[in-house]
Every structure is written in structure tokens, then in C-alpha cells.
Amino acid sequence: EVLIDLTTNLDLYGGSLSACGACIRNCGDALAQAGASARMKTGVEIVIDELREGADCLKEGSLKLATAVDESNVDKDFELSKRLQAMIKPTQQAALRLEEAGASIMQRQSITVVGSHLIACGEAIDMLASSIVALSPDDKDAKLSSQRMNYCSTQMIIAGEELAGIKREKPKGKSWLKG
């Protein structure tokens, strides 16, 4: 949602970058549904379908980004074009890893394998978050969009690590109370 708002600030609303933002938002919706379905144990098929739906949204988003690059080249905004180009590879990588996570579940591979795909997807989303803030470093919507994607990335990596059996150090004492 916030990426779409950013396009208004960049005077690009309604273009391919807006469409990419919608694709990323739809991927987030699919991931939320997959997480809820997995948590409630309502069906592995739903989880697989939602993971793969999220991957399809990101694939479509990467195609929209390629179109946005072309649009910015036509407008002779080559700096924006370079920044948009930097978003394509992480979007494609996240799509690929999300698709692999769904396929791994479908093929009944170990949860360690599924976890490793989620970790790789989270890392790709983290790179995407960094490239989003680079679109307009001083814009509050760029920062907020990046922060939300970083949170998604962190949560996906944590989930992947739990599935892969990687233990995180837990906070000791009451240090978690400090704000």
C-alpha cells in the first residue's frame, strides 16, 4: 500500500511502479493467508496454494518493474531507471524462493528444505526493501514501505530458521522491557 502512495509522491501514480506495488501488496495478502492457514492447520493444500500465489504476484511485479524501467527511460529519467532496475532481481529471487517453498511442501521434502527457501526469500525481500528506500531516500512513504518490507523479511527469516532448526538466542532477563 505504501509503495503505491510513494508513486503519488514521485508523480508516477498509475504507472507500472504502482502496479508493482499492488502485486507486492497482493503477495503480502497471500503470505498472511498462508501463515494463518498453517497456524490453524486448516490444510496443507491451502498453504501451498497461497505460497505459490504469492510467488506469482512477485513474478508479475518483476514484469511491472521492467515496464517501469522502460517508462522511466522514455521520460529520460535514467537515475530512476537505474534504481528501478535494482529492484527487479530481488523481486525475481523472492518469487523463485517462495515458489520453491511451496513446491517443497508439495513434494513432501523436509521442513529444513522448506525453511531454507523461506530464509532465502526473506533475504531477497530485505534486498528489495533496501532498493525501495533508494527510490527516494528522504520520502517518508519510501522509508515506511522499506520498514514494512524489512519487518516481513525478518519474520520470514525467523520462520525459516525455526523450520530449519536454527536456534536464535533468546533475550535474557528483563531487557526486553526496555523501550
Side-chain angles (χ1 to χ4, degrees):
E1 258 340 286
V2 185
L3 181 56
I4 297 169
D5 293 340
L6 172 62
T7 63
T8 301
N9 301 347
L10 296 174
D11 199 26
L12 299 171
Y13 184 78
S16 295
L17 184 57
S18 292
C20 173
C23 291
I24 293 171
R25 179 197 58 220
N26 293 342
C27 174
D29 292 345
L31 289 176
Q33 182 61 47
S37 296
R39 185 168 179 239
M40 298 301 177
K41 300 177 178 136
T42 55
V44 72
E45 296 85 9
I46 296 171
V47 174
I48 293 167
D49 184 58
E50 293 297 337
L51 288 175
R52 298 181 100 182
E53 177 66 26
D56 286 343
C57 290
L58 289 177
K59 285 179 200 171
E60 184 179 346
S62 69
L63 297 175
K64 298 295 182 188
L65 282 171
T67 304
V69 168
D70 294 340
E71 290 171 357
S72 62
N73 284 334
V74 167
D75 293 340
K76 298 188 184 334
D77 190 346
F78 301 113
E79 187 61 35
L80 177 62
S81 177
K82 186 173 88 174
R83 291 176 181 167
L84 292 169
Q85 185 69 41
M87 294 173 63
I88 295 174
K89 186 170 182 174
T91 306
Q92 291 172 333
Q93 284 296 315
L96 174 68
R97 296 306 187 160
L98 210 49
E99 175 71 29
E100 288 175 340
S104 296
I105 295 169
M106 187 170 65
Q107 295 168 354
R108 299 181 185 269
Q109 294 180 356
S110 73
I111 60 171
T112 304
V113 172
V114 176
S116 68
H117 292 310
L118 290 178
I119 292 169
C121 181
E123 291 168 348
I125 290 172
D126 185 52
M127 290 188 322
L128 179 59
S130 298
S131 59
I132 286 174
V133 79
L135 289 175
S136 184
D138 297 328
D139 189 286
K140 66 177 177 54
D141 287 332
K143 290 176 184 174
L144 183 57
S145 180
S146 178
Q147 288 170 347
R148 288 185 181 178
M149 292 197 74
N150 275 323
Y151 179 76
C152 167
S153 166
T154 301
Q155 295 306 304
M156 187 170 286
I157 291 170
I158 289 170
E161 288 175 347
E162 285 182 14
L163 290 173
I166 299 169
K167 302 290 184 202
R168 284 186 164 244
E169 187 175 321
K170 294 181 180 177
K172 293 180 173 61
K174 295 184 181 180
S175 63
W176 56 273
L177 289 173
K178 294 179 183 174

